């Protein structure tokens, strides 16, 4: 039997591009919860913690304070050399490195709420201060 791939295309395309006021509110809420969780992770990150602890803090905050039971995708909490690993954080390259002084954390995490996904990436110095070279690169990017 032949599969019909065109009947619903226009309807689905419209649903993806035109949002109701209620949908926009849910999207704003999902992004706000995820933003606040990123701020909490940045405030809590300390040398000696593990990458997976940053991920856990994010997930805990989005669920506890925002009711977001799911993540939009596999969380990436990459520190030190790990941001160079594509899609770091999966089973083959888990978020399992200990944070050391001088590390930059790259976090790519977002919560999902009522099937609306947030996607936020940020970078920050784990010890709270950029070195001059880190600051120059951070500002350039």
């Amino acid at each position: 039997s032949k599969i019909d791939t065109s009947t619903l295309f226009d309807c689905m395309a419209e649903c993806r591009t035109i949002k109701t006021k209620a949908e926009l509110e849910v999207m704003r809420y999902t992004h706000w919860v995820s933003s606040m969780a990123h701020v909490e992770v940045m405030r809590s990150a300390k040398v000696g913690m593990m990458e997976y602890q940053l991920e856990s803090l994010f997930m805990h905050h989005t669920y506890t304070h925002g009711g977001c039971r799911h993540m939009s995708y596999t969380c990436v909490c990459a520190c030190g050399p790990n941001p160079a690993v594509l899609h770091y954080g999966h089973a083959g390259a888990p978020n399992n490195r200990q944070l050391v002084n001088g590390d930059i954390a790259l976090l790519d995490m977002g919560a999902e709420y009522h099937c609306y996904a947030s996607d936020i990436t940020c970078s920050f110095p784990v010890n709270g201060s950029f070195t001059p070279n880190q600051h120059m690169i951070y500002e350039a990017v």
Side-chain angles (χ1 to χ4, degrees):
S1 76
K2 187 175 178 179
I3 297 173
D4 179 3
T5 59
S6 63
T7 301
L8 292 176
F9 182 81
D10 292 337
C11 179
M12 294 302 291
E14 186 175 330
C15 287
R16 294 186 71 188
T17 57
I18 300 171
K19 300 297 180 202
T20 67
K21 287 182 182 182
E23 286 176 302
L24 291 171
E25 269 313 301
V26 172
M27 292 170 72
R28 284 185 191 100
Y29 178 76
T30 305
H31 298 312
W32 177 78
V33 170
S34 295
S35 294
M36 293 301 100
H38 273 283
V39 169
E40 181 61 28
V41 171
M42 287 184 227
R43 287 182 179 145
S44 301
K46 304 281 184 269
V47 170
M49 292 177 74
M50 302 297 287
E51 290 168 329
Y52 60 76
Q53 289 177 296
L54 302 182
E55 176 184 9
S56 176
L57 284 168
F58 183 85
M59 295 171 80
H60 176 75
H61 187 91
T62 58
Y63 195 2
T64 301
H65 300 285
C68 300
R69 297 182 65 201
H70 305 287
M71 297 296 102
S72 301
Y73 46 86
T74 301
C75 293
V76 174
C77 294
C79 299
N82 291 333
V85 178
L86 186 62
H87 297 291
Y88 182 77
H90 58 80
N95 297 323
N96 67 356
R97 182 176 178 276
Q98 187 173 35
L99 284 58
V100 299
N101 194 38
D103 275 354
I104 296 290
L106 179 136
L107 307 181
D108 183 359
M109 302 183 288
E112 179 186 301
Y113 189 72
H114 292 279
C115 297
Y116 286 88
S118 178
D119 183 345
I120 300 173
T121 304
C122 63
S123 299
F124 63 94
V126 170
N127 66 9
S129 298
F130 285 111
T131 66
N133 284 342
Q134 289 171 338
H135 188 262
M136 179 182 65
I137 292 168
Y138 179 84
E139 290 297 322
V141 174

